[in-house]
């Protein structure tokens, strides 16, 4: 509706009644009533509209008298109820998303890693990290479309090494103890999406070994 006079008339028409639903019905009825006029005068002035339909508040009353079952404005209690329900929905979605993102990774399996040969790894997993133990955290991103990751930790030291995996701010980390000169495989099958980090420690502070982070290929999920 590009005619400013028509927009002005319609705005004043709607302003003469209360309630969003009633105003919408009134606007629809008014636009139906203007169709014959617009065929003769495609861009009527405000004065022409007033001459054809009367003042906007009068036209509103005429349309209301001919409107079947006009919607009634919502009572204050109904408005408060709708606002409360909307707030509860928003809060519910937020809480649900919060707990989903911070849900625990419970489906875990710890093994000695002997079953994870190249014949098993190469067709089923993709390498994300393949590095030596470090004194700082190493991150990787677990995508939302991949729920499985595998850690292969090879401790070549003469003391036990502990690997710590952080994956959620409000959840305790995974801790994997790897005996001296041993390998451990840690499989997670309900991985949370987002950043994960892995770090290493030992009783005497020395670190010696390598680790791999692998994620399941899409065809194997």
């Amino acid at each position: 509706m590009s005619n400013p006079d028509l927009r002005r008339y319609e705005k004043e028409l709607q302003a003469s009644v209360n309630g969003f639903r009633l105003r919408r019905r009134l606007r629809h009825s008014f636009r139906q009533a203007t169709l014959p006029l617009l065929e003769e005068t495609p861009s009527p002035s405000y004065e022409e509209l007033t001459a054809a339909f009367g003042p906007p508040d009068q036209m509103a009353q005429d349309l209301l008298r001919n409107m079947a079952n006009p919607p009634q404005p919502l009572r204050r209690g109904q408005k408060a109820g709708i606002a409360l329900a909307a707030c509860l929905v928003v809060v519910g979605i937020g809480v649900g998303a919060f707990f989903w993102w911070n849900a625990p990774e419970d489906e875990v399996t710890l093994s000695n890693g002997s079953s994870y040969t190249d014949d098993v790894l190469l067709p089923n997993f993709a390498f994300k990290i393949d590095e030596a133990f470090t004194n700082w955290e190493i991150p990787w991103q677990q995508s939302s479309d991949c729920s499985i990751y595998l850690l292969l930790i090879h401790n070549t030291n003469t003391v036990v090494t502990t690997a710590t995996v952080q994956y959620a701010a409000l959840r305790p980390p995974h801790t994997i103890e790897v005996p001296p000169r041993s390998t451990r495989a840690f499989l997670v099958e309900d991985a949370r999406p987002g950043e994960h980090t892995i770090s290493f420690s030992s009783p005497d502070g020395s670190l010696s070994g390598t680790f791999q982070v692998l994620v399941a290929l899409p065809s194997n999920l």
Side-chain angles (χ1 to χ4, degrees):
M1 186 181 295
S2 59
N3 184 339
D5 288 335
L6 196 54
R7 288 202 304 271
R8 173 189 168 191
Y9 190 97
E10 187 175 279
K11 184 176 180 180
E12 293 177 3
L13 178 84
Q14 291 179 278
S16 63
V17 298
N18 295 319
F20 173 78
R21 295 178 302 159
L22 183 58
R23 287 173 178 170
R24 185 172 57 184
R25 284 276 300 275
L26 195 66
R27 180 181 60 192
H28 176 74
S29 298
F30 174 67
R31 291 184 178 181
Q32 293 296 113
T34 60
L35 292 178
L37 175 65
L38 295 177
E39 290 180 0
E40 298 180 3
T41 310
S43 184
S45 65
Y46 184 85
E47 289 73 20
E48 288 173 319
L49 290 167
T50 303
F53 302 111
D57 57 344
Q58 178 183 319
M59 179 58 174
Q61 296 305 314
D62 292 341
L63 292 173
L64 287 174
R65 280 193 291 270
N66 295 308
M67 187 181 295
N69 300 319
Q72 299 300 313
L74 294 176
R75 297 189 299 274
R76 182 176 298 178
Q78 290 175 310
K79 292 180 180 179
I82 291 174
L84 178 60
C87 290
L88 291 175
V89 169
V90 171
V91 170
I93 292 173
V95 170
F98 175 81
F99 281 104
W100 185 78
W101 278 93
N102 286 281
E105 294 180 343
D106 288 331
E107 297 180 23
V108 300
T109 304
L110 180 64
S111 66
N112 62 16
S114 59
S115 62
Y116 291 106
T117 62
D118 287 345
D119 291 340
V120 173
L121 294 177
L122 296 179
N124 299 297
F125 292 91
F127 283 82
K128 289 187 75 73
I129 302 175
D130 187 355
E131 295 187 14
F133 293 173
T134 67
N135 290 305
W136 54 86
E137 292 184 341
I138 297 178
W140 80 89
Q141 284 293 327
Q142 190 72 28
S143 64
S144 59
D145 59 353
C146 181
S147 60
I148 298 175
Y149 67 84
L150 171 67
L151 304 178
L152 294 177
I153 306 169
H154 316 281
N155 181 17
T156 58
N157 207 341
T158 57
V159 295
V160 65
T161 295
T162 300
T164 302
V165 179
Q166 299 275 358
Y167 64 92
L170 301 182
R171 293 292 177 183
H174 301 302
T175 56
I176 306 107
E177 288 195 353
V178 186
R181 306 189 187 283
S182 300
T183 296
R184 289 293 180 267
F186 187 74
L187 178 68
V188 177
E189 298 184 80
D190 61 345
R192 295 297 92 200
E195 185 177 80
H196 289 54
T197 63
I198 185 169
S199 60
F200 302 91
S201 62
S202 70
D204 64 3
S206 64
L207 296 174
S208 176
T210 60
F211 75 100
Q212 291 81 37
V213 177
L214 306 95
V215 295
L217 295 171
S219 58
N220 295 290
L221 293 176

